[in-house]
Amino acid sequence: MKILVLNSGSSSIKFQLFDMSDTAVLAGGLVEKIGESTSQLTYRKFKVGTETDKHVFQQSIGDHSEGLSHIAALLLDEEKGAVKSSAEIAAVGHRVVHGGERFSEPTIVTAEVMEELQKLSFLAPLHNPANLQGIEIAAEVFKQATQVAVFDTAFHQTLPEFAYRFAIPKEYYAQHGLRVYGFHGTSHAYVSREAAKFLGIANDQFNAITVHLGNGCSMAAIKDGKSVDVSMGLTPVGGLMMGTRSGDIDPGLLLFLVEHLNMTGQEIDQLLNKESGLKGLAGDNDLRNVMQQYDSGDPEAVLAVTMYVYRIKKFIGAYTAALGRVDAVVFTAGVGENSAAIRSLVCENLEVLGITLDEVRNKEKTSGAHAISASGSNVNVLVVPTDEELEIAMQVRGIIS
Ligand code: ADP
């Protein structure tokens, strides 16, 4: 069985085609800068996990429909392609950012589901409309395939009410759905399950703190394999400090921006989502660059990294208190998987929580899930590479078979 996974953003489409008999990636790539004068399509083909072919095309791709047609043509191409006919693709799994309270499982898309998803778009106006457009177009391009939506919020639908409600009158929740949803659920679900497997602990008895540090950053508290708390909130701007997002701030600051600086909703959105975090403090959202400045002693970078790390430490403390017993702290995503320096700073002086890092193991370049804690550490510290596309493909297989 072959499953295509699509992640449609506002100006991009990421794709990966899996052969589910052994979960091997057959082909994958990315269409970027859709709608700009020069768009770029990167296409890769794989055999037994090894890249055999890479093509980069630069041309104008006007909209998502055109982008997906190019992807389909490449996947079916006699020479470059990975399937002989589109009928081989049993299902297309779509990453959908917000599933609200309605969708806590992967869901086969019908006309009714589309209608409900459209109603939820107000909760993620920057993401859901592009995700839905991707579904509509894929249903036309891959007519025989079952379209399945997999939600970033779904894994966190197990949060207890005391963790997901805001301390404001109930009507705001009941009438407008204002509550904590949490995001990156596919990644938190995947890495916590992989971590349990690595440690030989049954998933339904596994307690973990998962730390997803990419451009977007979030942490989750996992109890008995289920998410019980998450750092992002109603939207992905809450919680940790990120590449360009502020993370948690005093709600009173928003009032100040409105009342004293006369800023509009759009301006505040731009400030907190695009101009804050590492970029706002150190002038760059890419942690690799910020770490170079940090290493050279640049005071703005030192402050930015110290704040970034301090937030993560505080959430580890909070989630240890929430969980009582922590089997593992699990680092993942671009920064979590690659920056030994950030992992080391985060775990510094956390012996009080039973966390001791092995600095040598931490610096070793090891691929796959591996432990970086010291032998005597009460809490395992792991690095587990995330694979959101594979997780989506596996969830799709679960629902269609
Ligand atoms: P996205 O949220 O876009 O999926 P990624 O998970 O790819 O993001 O993470 C992107 C982040 O990872 C960037 O800030 C990048 O600087 C950081 N990163 C990637 N490799 C390294 C590295 N070797 N050291 C430090 N940071 C890294």
Side-chain angles (χ1 to χ4, degrees), residues 155 192 203-207 222-227:
F155 182 59
S192 69
N203 193 45
D204 61 2
Q205 289 166 26
F206 183 56
N207 284 9
I222 316 272
K223 192 180 181 101
D224 298 332
K226 293 193 167 72
S227 176

Side-chain angles (χ1 to χ4, degrees), residues 98-101 115-129 132 172-179 181 183 234-236:
H98 218 306
E101 286 189 319
E115 223 172 276
E116 290 190 59
L117 286 173
Q118 251 130 21
K119 282 191 212 142
L120 282 174
S121 275
F122 77 98
L123 285 170
L126 295 178
H127 297 101
N128 268 32
L132 300 194
Y172 294 92
Y173 164 59
Q175 291 169 22
H176 306 287
L178 300 181
R179 51 160 284 178
Y181 289 98
F183 301 86
L234 171 72
T235 74

Side-chain angles (χ1 to χ4, degrees), residues 14 212-216 285-288 333-335 338-339 388:
K14 285 189 201 152
H212 177 113
L213 305 175
N215 275 314
N285 66 301
D286 191 313
L287 189 89
R288 280 167 293 204
V335 176
N338 296 302
S339 178
E388 290 169 275

